[in-house]
């Protein structure tokens, strides 16, 4: 197999630079936007010759990725270069460099030429030259604190109602219990607005700066995501983590037009946080807008002064809110449509019109169902199935689907619908995010989220969704079941009747499973002839009834089945291990039925 360099980098602009850099060294570059995607690439292609990675990756962080990689027998020769903005993460990685197999650690502030020279020396087996990062100076920190003071952002009064509303909406949108708008001061972080904090922290409105995850965001001037703080070598001993307040974290910097970082807009959960790159991009955009509003307010900008008044005749209406949002989406490069309360397409931007090949003024005249039918008409699916296009449930943090568009040109896109309240109801932003080219090799490397043969979610997509559903069920106090289904004798079918017959049998099983768990359930092509059905909200009795129903079906391919329930606070991977063990027992019992007298 052709040697390749794996670039684990969520920022598309930096990723493009790194891909160009490794191409100049004669390596094929493969991009992964997060740690889980990097793992999937390695599973499909084996270990790379070179890995260039950040340590703060979504879904699976860089430390976990490196630990996992070094457990693979084929990764002993993989050269690793870490490039990260976060000094304390880099220092900890240096302490663990031997066990993690790191050959060089660089600050993201290092010049590109230094990164290129480091990669060359690492690939040649030479000792990298030391690179002194351009560290923030004490003078930069002094100016930053003076700017916070000059803007008069810290006060002893209660949090502003407008900002409280913002963090409440952010917590709801990201389905987390805690959201904060923080200012990082000299010795502490201060919560300018907050929702979901324990009473003691809410009363104090802050913590020591040494405890603050947000300190790292300010120091690195970058968004930081910690998918599982309880296992992270830098954060697991943090007092907030030990006390069970922070289990995971994602924060984006509040950056002024002059480039100073005031603090963060961040979200926190007590459990692992499975945010993707699109989620982080949305958080960054919100933080940018909040920082701009704080800047304007500090200058006494008339528009913001008017916004702060509350006479009844100036109260925002649904029409005024939609009009402002329509103007805002026109500036976005991502294909975006604004859907008004009542599922009414209200406006779309030029990027959406270009992607779908339809005039922008035509979309507001459609019903939402007509719009979905139009998109389905542009779609192509190798399995003949198109995901059911819809808006998100108003109580959810969003709907995510992946589909292939055949027209106006072939491409794969991510359909993301997010609800948010406005006067008069709940509106939604629908975005279509292009996932890259449709060349077969690129699709294999990036990992399809929809299985080509069955049309079900792939294992990677299914694991991600399953973890989210388990977290949601735990928060809502609901049960969550798992059903594993394995086609009997797939290998024998392929050998005796041909692979077309085996594929037909797999598609038959997939059709039986798709939708079997109701609106909340979903099926996943797990591996080989095995498919997993997640059943959030169903108890053990209901899960067993579904299993027996599958086994009782006639004129259908025979299947092995096994079930398991998520128990308490166990790791979801332990749940999967138990259902796999149950499946192994079921197969053994089928091959060796009990003797009867």
């Amino acid at each position: 197999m052709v040697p390749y360099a794996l670039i684990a980098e969520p920022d598309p602009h930096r990723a493009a630079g790194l891909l160009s850099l490794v191409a100049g060294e004669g390596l094929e570059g493969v991009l992964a936007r997060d740690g889980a995607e990097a793992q999937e690439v390695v599973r499909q292609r084996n270990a790379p010759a070179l890995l260039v990675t950040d340590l703060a990756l979504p879904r699976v962080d860089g430390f976990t990725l490196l630990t996992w990689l070094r457990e693979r027998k084929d990764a002993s020769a993989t050269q690793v270069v870490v490039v990260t903005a976060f000094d304390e993460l880099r220092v900890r990685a240096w302490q663990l460099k031997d066990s993690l197999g790191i050959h060089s650690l660089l600050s993201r502030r290092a010049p590109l030429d230094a990164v290129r020279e480091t990669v060359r020396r690492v690939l040649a087996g030479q000792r990298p030259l030391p690179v002194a990062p351009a560290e923030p100076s004490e003078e930069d920190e002094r100016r930053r604190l003076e700017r916070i003071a000059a803007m008069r952002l810290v006060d002893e009064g209660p949090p502003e109602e407008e900002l409280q509303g913002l963090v409440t909406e952010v917590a709801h949108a990201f389905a987390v219990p805690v959201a904060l708008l923080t200012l990082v001061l000299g010795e502490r972080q201060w919560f300018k607005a907050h929702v979901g904090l324990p009473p003691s922290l809410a009363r104090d409105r802050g913590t020591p700066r040494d405890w603050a995850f947000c300190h790292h965001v300010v120091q690195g001037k970058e968004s930081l995501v910690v998918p599982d703080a309880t296992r992270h070598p830098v954060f697991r001993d943090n007092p907030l983590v030990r006390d069970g307040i922070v289990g995971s974290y994602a924060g984006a910097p509040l950056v002024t037009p002059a480039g100073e970082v005031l603090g963060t807009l961040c979200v926190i959960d007590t459990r692992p946080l499975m945010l993707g790159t699109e989620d982080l991009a949305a958080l960054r955009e919100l933080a940018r807008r909040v920082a701009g509003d704080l800047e304007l307010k500090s200058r006494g900008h008339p528009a913001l002064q008017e916004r702060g008044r509350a006479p009844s005749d100036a109260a925002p209406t649904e029409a005024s809110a939609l009009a402002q949002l329509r103007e805002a989406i026109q500036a976005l490069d991502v294909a975006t449509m604004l859907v008004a309360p009542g599922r009414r397409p209200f406006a779309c931007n030029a990027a959406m019109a270009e992607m779908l090949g339809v005039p922008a003024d035509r979309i507001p005249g459609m019903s939402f169902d007509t719009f979905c039918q139009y998109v389905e008409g542009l779609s192509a699916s190798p399995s003949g199935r198109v995901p059911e296009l819809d808006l998100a449930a108003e109580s959810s943090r969003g709907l995510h689907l992946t589909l292939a568009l055949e027209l106006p040109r072939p491409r794969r896109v991510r359909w993301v619908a997010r609800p948010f309240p406005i006067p008069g109801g709940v509106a939604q932003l629908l975005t279509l995010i292009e996932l890259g080219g449709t060349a077969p090799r690129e699709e294999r490397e990036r990992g399809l989220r929809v299985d080509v043969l069955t049309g079900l979610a792939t294992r990677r997509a299914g694991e991600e969704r399953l973890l989210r559903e388990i977290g949601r069920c735990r928060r809502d106090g609901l049960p969550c079941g798992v059903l594993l289904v394995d086609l009997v004798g797939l290998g024998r079918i392929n050998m005796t009747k041909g692979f077309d017959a085996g594929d037909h049998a797999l598609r038959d099983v997939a059709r039986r499973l798709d939708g079997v768990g109701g609106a909340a359930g979903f099926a996943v092509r797990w591996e080989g002839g095995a498919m997993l059905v997640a059943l959030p909200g169903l108890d053990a009795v209901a899960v067993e009834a579904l299993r027996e129903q599958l086994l009782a079906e006639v004129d259908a391919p025979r299947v092995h089945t096994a079930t398991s329930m998520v128990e308490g606070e166990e790791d979801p991977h332990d749940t999967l291990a138990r259902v796999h063990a149950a499946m192994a027992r079921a197969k053994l019992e089928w091959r060796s039925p009990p003797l009867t007298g």
Side-chain angles (χ1 to χ4, degrees), residues 520-563:
F522 58 93
V524 181
R525 173 77 184 278
W526 201 246
E527 56 187 5
M531 301 175 201
L532 180 142
V533 184
L535 301 168
L538 297 190
D539 61 18
V541 173
V543 172
E544 180 62 21
L546 281 177
R547 188 183 77 86
E548 293 178 354
Q549 178 182 334
L550 285 172
L551 293 176
E553 290 181 359
V554 296
D555 298 327
R558 296 180 62 188
V559 293
H560 298 298
T561 59
T563 64

Short mmCIF file of all heavy atoms in Angstrom, two decimals, residues 520-563:
data_model
loop_
_atom_site.label_atom_id
_atom_site.label_comp_id
_atom_site.label_asym_id
_atom_site.label_seq_id
_atom_site.Cartn_x
_atom_site.Cartn_y
_atom_site.Cartn_z
N ALA A 520 -36.94 7.26 17.38
CA ALA A 520 -35.65 7.48 18.04
C ALA A 520 -34.61 6.41 17.71
O ALA A 520 -33.42 6.63 17.83
CB ALA A 520 -35.83 7.55 19.56
N GLY A 521 -35.06 5.22 17.29
CA GLY A 521 -34.13 4.14 17.02
C GLY A 521 -33.43 4.31 15.68
O GLY A 521 -33.91 5.01 14.79
N PHE A 522 -32.30 3.64 15.52
CA PHE A 522 -31.59 3.68 14.24
C PHE A 522 -30.72 2.45 14.12
O PHE A 522 -30.30 1.85 15.12
CB PHE A 522 -30.73 4.95 14.13
CG PHE A 522 -29.71 5.12 15.21
CD1 PHE A 522 -28.41 4.66 15.04
CD2 PHE A 522 -30.04 5.76 16.40
CE1 PHE A 522 -27.47 4.81 16.04
CE2 PHE A 522 -29.09 5.92 17.41
CZ PHE A 522 -27.81 5.45 17.22
N ALA A 523 -30.46 2.05 12.86
CA ALA A 523 -29.69 0.85 12.58
C ALA A 523 -28.35 1.23 11.96
O ALA A 523 -28.23 2.25 11.27
CB ALA A 523 -30.46 -0.07 11.64
N VAL A 524 -27.34 0.37 12.22
CA VAL A 524 -25.97 0.64 11.80
C VAL A 524 -25.40 -0.62 11.15
O VAL A 524 -25.59 -1.73 11.66
CB VAL A 524 -25.09 1.02 13.02
CG1 VAL A 524 -23.66 1.32 12.58
CG2 VAL A 524 -25.70 2.21 13.76
N ARG A 525 -24.73 -0.48 10.01
CA ARG A 525 -23.95 -1.60 9.44
C ARG A 525 -22.68 -1.70 10.28
O ARG A 525 -21.78 -0.89 10.18
CB ARG A 525 -23.61 -1.32 7.97
CG ARG A 525 -22.64 -2.37 7.34
CD ARG A 525 -23.36 -3.64 6.99
NE ARG A 525 -22.43 -4.66 6.48
CZ ARG A 525 -21.97 -4.74 5.22
NH1 ARG A 525 -22.33 -3.82 4.33
NH2 ARG A 525 -21.19 -5.72 4.86
N TRP A 526 -22.61 -2.72 11.11
CA TRP A 526 -21.56 -2.78 12.12
C TRP A 526 -20.27 -3.36 11.55
O TRP A 526 -19.24 -2.71 11.49
CB TRP A 526 -22.06 -3.59 13.32
CG TRP A 526 -21.31 -3.32 14.58
CD1 TRP A 526 -20.51 -4.18 15.27
CD2 TRP A 526 -21.29 -2.09 15.32
NE1 TRP A 526 -20.01 -3.57 16.39
CE2 TRP A 526 -20.47 -2.27 16.44
CE3 TRP A 526 -21.90 -0.85 15.14
CZ2 TRP A 526 -20.23 -1.28 17.38
CZ3 TRP A 526 -21.67 0.14 16.06
CH2 TRP A 526 -20.84 -0.07 17.15
N GLU A 527 -20.34 -4.62 11.10
CA GLU A 527 -19.18 -5.24 10.47
C GLU A 527 -19.63 -6.53 9.81
O GLU A 527 -20.45 -7.27 10.35
CB GLU A 527 -18.08 -5.55 11.50
CG GLU A 527 -18.53 -6.43 12.66
CD GLU A 527 -17.46 -6.57 13.74
OE1 GLU A 527 -16.42 -5.92 13.62
OE2 GLU A 527 -17.69 -7.35 14.67
N GLY A 528 -19.10 -6.80 8.61
CA GLY A 528 -19.46 -8.03 7.91
C GLY A 528 -20.96 -8.18 7.77
O GLY A 528 -21.64 -7.32 7.21
N GLY A 529 -21.50 -9.26 8.30
CA GLY A 529 -22.93 -9.48 8.25
C GLY A 529 -23.66 -9.01 9.48
O GLY A 529 -24.85 -9.30 9.64
N ALA A 530 -22.98 -8.29 10.37
CA ALA A 530 -23.59 -7.84 11.62
C ALA A 530 -24.11 -6.42 11.51
O ALA A 530 -23.47 -5.55 10.91
CB ALA A 530 -22.58 -7.93 12.76
N MET A 531 -25.27 -6.19 12.09
CA MET A 531 -25.89 -4.86 12.14
C MET A 531 -26.35 -4.59 13.56
O MET A 531 -26.84 -5.50 14.25
CB MET A 531 -27.07 -4.76 11.16
CG MET A 531 -26.65 -5.04 9.73
SD MET A 531 -28.02 -5.08 8.58
CE MET A 531 -27.27 -6.02 7.23
N LEU A 532 -26.19 -3.37 13.98
CA LEU A 532 -26.55 -2.97 15.34
C LEU A 532 -27.74 -2.02 15.28
O LEU A 532 -27.78 -1.12 14.43
CB LEU A 532 -25.37 -2.31 16.03
CG LEU A 532 -25.59 -1.83 17.47
CD1 LEU A 532 -24.33 -2.07 18.31
CD2 LEU A 532 -25.94 -0.33 17.51
N VAL A 533 -28.69 -2.24 16.18
CA VAL A 533 -29.85 -1.36 16.28
C VAL A 533 -29.82 -0.69 17.65
O VAL A 533 -29.83 -1.38 18.68
CB VAL A 533 -31.17 -2.12 16.09
CG1 VAL A 533 -32.35 -1.15 16.10
CG2 VAL A 533 -31.15 -2.93 14.80
N ALA A 534 -29.73 0.64 17.67
CA ALA A 534 -29.81 1.39 18.92
C ALA A 534 -31.27 1.69 19.22
O ALA A 534 -32.02 2.12 18.32
CB ALA A 534 -29.01 2.68 18.81
N LEU A 535 -31.67 1.49 20.47
CA LEU A 535 -33.08 1.61 20.85
C LEU A 535 -33.24 2.53 22.05
O LEU A 535 -33.62 2.10 23.14
CB LEU A 535 -33.64 0.22 21.15
CG LEU A 535 -33.56 -0.78 19.99
CD1 LEU A 535 -33.85 -2.19 20.47
CD2 LEU A 535 -34.53 -0.37 18.87
N PRO A 536 -32.93 3.83 21.89
CA PRO A 536 -33.09 4.75 23.01
C PRO A 536 -34.55 4.88 23.43
O PRO A 536 -35.44 4.97 22.59
CB PRO A 536 -32.54 6.07 22.45
CG PRO A 536 -32.58 5.94 20.98
CD PRO A 536 -32.41 4.48 20.69
N GLY A 537 -34.76 4.86 24.74
CA GLY A 537 -36.10 5.01 25.27
C GLY A 537 -36.84 3.71 25.49
O GLY A 537 -37.91 3.70 26.11
N LEU A 538 -36.31 2.58 24.98
CA LEU A 538 -36.98 1.29 25.14
C LEU A 538 -36.37 0.52 26.31
O LEU A 538 -35.14 0.45 26.43
CB LEU A 538 -36.86 0.45 23.87
CG LEU A 538 -37.53 1.01 22.60
CD1 LEU A 538 -37.53 -0.04 21.51
CD2 LEU A 538 -38.93 1.52 22.88
N ASP A 539 -37.23 -0.07 27.13
CA ASP A 539 -36.74 -0.86 28.25
C ASP A 539 -36.43 -2.29 27.82
O ASP A 539 -36.64 -2.67 26.65
CB ASP A 539 -37.72 -0.83 29.42
CG ASP A 539 -39.09 -1.42 29.04
OD1 ASP A 539 -39.18 -2.15 28.03
OD2 ASP A 539 -40.06 -1.13 29.76
N ALA A 540 -35.96 -3.10 28.75
CA ALA A 540 -35.52 -4.46 28.42
C ALA A 540 -36.66 -5.30 27.85
O ALA A 540 -36.45 -6.11 26.94
CB ALA A 540 -34.93 -5.12 29.67
N VAL A 541 -37.87 -5.11 28.36
CA VAL A 541 -39.01 -5.90 27.87
C VAL A 541 -39.30 -5.56 26.41
O VAL A 541 -39.51 -6.46 25.57
CB VAL A 541 -40.25 -5.63 28.75
CG1 VAL A 541 -41.48 -6.33 28.16
CG2 VAL A 541 -40.00 -6.11 30.18
N ALA A 542 -39.30 -4.28 26.08
CA ALA A 542 -39.58 -3.87 24.71
C ALA A 542 -38.48 -4.31 23.75
O ALA A 542 -38.74 -4.72 22.61
CB ALA A 542 -39.75 -2.35 24.65
N VAL A 543 -37.22 -4.24 24.21
CA VAL A 543 -36.10 -4.67 23.38
C VAL A 543 -36.20 -6.17 23.09
O VAL A 543 -36.00 -6.63 21.97
CB VAL A 543 -34.76 -4.32 24.06
CG1 VAL A 543 -33.59 -4.94 23.30
CG2 VAL A 543 -34.58 -2.81 24.15
N GLU A 544 -36.50 -6.94 24.11
CA GLU A 544 -36.64 -8.39 23.93
C GLU A 544 -37.80 -8.71 22.99
O GLU A 544 -37.72 -9.64 22.17
CB GLU A 544 -36.84 -9.07 25.28
CG GLU A 544 -37.00 -10.58 25.21
CD GLU A 544 -35.79 -11.29 24.63
OE1 GLU A 544 -34.68 -10.70 24.64
OE2 GLU A 544 -35.95 -12.44 24.17
N ALA A 545 -38.88 -7.95 23.08
CA ALA A 545 -40.02 -8.17 22.19
C ALA A 545 -39.63 -7.93 20.73
O ALA A 545 -40.05 -8.69 19.84
CB ALA A 545 -41.18 -7.27 22.59
N LEU A 546 -38.83 -6.91 20.48
CA LEU A 546 -38.36 -6.66 19.12
C LEU A 546 -37.48 -7.79 18.62
O LEU A 546 -37.55 -8.21 17.47
CB LEU A 546 -37.60 -5.33 19.06
CG LEU A 546 -38.42 -4.05 19.02
CD1 LEU A 546 -37.51 -2.85 19.04
CD2 LEU A 546 -39.28 -4.03 17.76
N ARG A 547 -36.62 -8.29 19.50
CA ARG A 547 -35.74 -9.40 19.12
C ARG A 547 -36.57 -10.63 18.74
O ARG A 547 -36.31 -11.26 17.71
CB ARG A 547 -34.79 -9.73 20.27
CG ARG A 547 -33.70 -10.74 19.90
CD ARG A 547 -32.86 -11.08 21.12
NE ARG A 547 -33.57 -12.01 22.00
CZ ARG A 547 -33.55 -13.33 21.85
NH1 ARG A 547 -32.88 -13.89 20.86
NH2 ARG A 547 -34.20 -14.09 22.70
N GLU A 548 -37.56 -10.96 19.55
CA GLU A 548 -38.39 -12.13 19.27
C GLU A 548 -39.20 -11.93 17.99
O GLU A 548 -39.43 -12.88 17.23
CB GLU A 548 -39.32 -12.40 20.45
CG GLU A 548 -38.57 -12.84 21.71
CD GLU A 548 -39.49 -13.06 22.89
OE1 GLU A 548 -40.71 -12.75 22.75
OE2 GLU A 548 -39.02 -13.52 23.95
N GLN A 549 -39.60 -10.70 17.73
CA GLN A 549 -40.34 -10.41 16.51
C GLN A 549 -39.48 -10.67 15.28
O GLN A 549 -39.95 -11.23 14.27
CB GLN A 549 -40.80 -8.94 16.52
CG GLN A 549 -41.54 -8.50 15.27
CD GLN A 549 -41.92 -7.03 15.34
OE1 GLN A 549 -42.09 -6.47 16.42
NE2 GLN A 549 -42.03 -6.41 14.19
N LEU A 550 -38.21 -10.29 15.34
CA LEU A 550 -37.30 -10.53 14.22
C LEU A 550 -37.11 -12.04 14.00
O LEU A 550 -37.10 -12.51 12.86
CB LEU A 550 -35.95 -9.87 14.48
CG LEU A 550 -35.88 -8.35 14.31
CD1 LEU A 550 -34.52 -7.84 14.80
CD2 LEU A 550 -36.09 -7.96 12.86
N LEU A 551 -36.93 -12.77 15.08
CA LEU A 551 -36.70 -14.20 14.96
C LEU A 551 -37.94 -14.93 14.44
O LEU A 551 -37.82 -16.00 13.82
CB LEU A 551 -36.30 -14.79 16.32
CG LEU A 551 -34.94 -14.33 16.86
CD1 LEU A 551 -34.71 -14.90 18.25
CD2 LEU A 551 -33.82 -14.77 15.93
N ALA A 552 -39.12 -14.38 14.67
CA ALA A 552 -40.36 -15.04 14.27
C ALA A 552 -40.73 -14.79 12.82
O ALA A 552 -41.62 -15.45 12.28
CB ALA A 552 -41.50 -14.59 15.18
N GLU A 553 -40.08 -13.84 12.17
CA GLU A 553 -40.42 -13.51 10.79
C GLU A 553 -40.10 -14.69 9.88
O GLU A 553 -39.03 -15.30 9.97
CB GLU A 553 -39.67 -12.27 10.33
CG GLU A 553 -40.15 -10.99 11.01
CD GLU A 553 -39.41 -9.76 10.50
OE1 GLU A 553 -38.52 -9.93 9.64
OE2 GLU A 553 -39.73 -8.67 10.96
N VAL A 554 -41.03 -14.99 8.98
CA VAL A 554 -40.83 -16.07 8.01
C VAL A 554 -40.47 -15.47 6.66
O VAL A 554 -40.64 -14.27 6.43
CB VAL A 554 -42.11 -16.94 7.90
CG1 VAL A 554 -42.39 -17.63 9.22
CG2 VAL A 554 -43.31 -16.09 7.47
N ASP A 555 -40.01 -16.32 5.76
CA ASP A 555 -39.61 -15.89 4.41
C ASP A 555 -38.61 -14.74 4.48
O ASP A 555 -38.68 -13.78 3.71
CB ASP A 555 -40.84 -15.45 3.60
CG ASP A 555 -41.83 -16.59 3.41
OD1 ASP A 555 -41.37 -17.74 3.31
OD2 ASP A 555 -43.04 -16.32 3.38
N ALA A 556 -37.70 -14.83 5.43
CA ALA A 556 -36.67 -13.80 5.58
C ALA A 556 -35.36 -14.50 5.95
O ALA A 556 -35.37 -15.60 6.51
CB ALA A 556 -37.04 -12.81 6.68
N PRO A 557 -34.22 -13.91 5.60
CA PRO A 557 -32.94 -14.53 5.96
C PRO A 557 -32.85 -14.78 7.46
O PRO A 557 -33.30 -13.96 8.28
CB PRO A 557 -31.91 -13.49 5.50
CG PRO A 557 -32.60 -12.70 4.45
CD PRO A 557 -34.03 -12.66 4.85
N ARG A 558 -32.26 -15.92 7.84
CA ARG A 558 -32.11 -16.25 9.26
C ARG A 558 -31.02 -15.38 9.87
O ARG A 558 -30.00 -15.08 9.24
CB ARG A 558 -31.76 -17.72 9.43
CG ARG A 558 -32.87 -18.65 8.95
CD ARG A 558 -32.46 -20.10 9.14
NE ARG A 558 -32.23 -20.39 10.56
CZ ARG A 558 -31.72 -21.54 11.00
NH1 ARG A 558 -31.36 -22.47 10.13
NH2 ARG A 558 -31.56 -21.75 12.30
N VAL A 559 -31.23 -15.00 11.13
CA VAL A 559 -30.27 -14.13 11.81
C VAL A 559 -30.02 -14.63 13.22
O VAL A 559 -30.88 -15.27 13.84
CB VAL A 559 -30.77 -12.67 11.88
CG1 VAL A 559 -30.82 -12.05 10.50
CG2 VAL A 559 -32.14 -12.58 12.57
N HIS A 560 -28.79 -14.39 13.71
CA HIS A 560 -28.50 -14.50 15.13
C HIS A 560 -28.83 -13.15 15.77
O HIS A 560 -28.65 -12.09 15.15
CB HIS A 560 -27.02 -14.79 15.37
CG HIS A 560 -26.56 -16.10 14.78
ND1 HIS A 560 -27.06 -17.31 15.18
CD2 HIS A 560 -25.62 -16.36 13.85
CE1 HIS A 560 -26.45 -18.27 14.52
NE2 HIS A 560 -25.57 -17.72 13.68
N THR A 561 -29.26 -13.16 17.02
CA THR A 561 -29.58 -11.91 17.70
C THR A 561 -29.06 -11.93 19.13
O THR A 561 -28.91 -13.00 19.74
CB THR A 561 -31.10 -11.67 17.74
OG1 THR A 561 -31.72 -12.76 18.43
CG2 THR A 561 -31.67 -11.54 16.34
N ALA A 562 -28.77 -10.74 19.64
CA ALA A 562 -28.39 -10.58 21.05
C ALA A 562 -28.76 -9.17 21.47
O ALA A 562 -28.76 -8.24 20.66
CB ALA A 562 -26.89 -10.82 21.25
N THR A 563 -29.09 -9.00 22.75
CA THR A 563 -29.48 -7.69 23.25
C THR A 563 -28.69 -7.33 24.50
O THR A 563 -28.14 -8.21 25.18
CB THR A 563 -30.99 -7.65 23.60
OG1 THR A 563 -31.24 -8.57 24.66
CG2 THR A 563 -31.84 -7.98 22.39
#
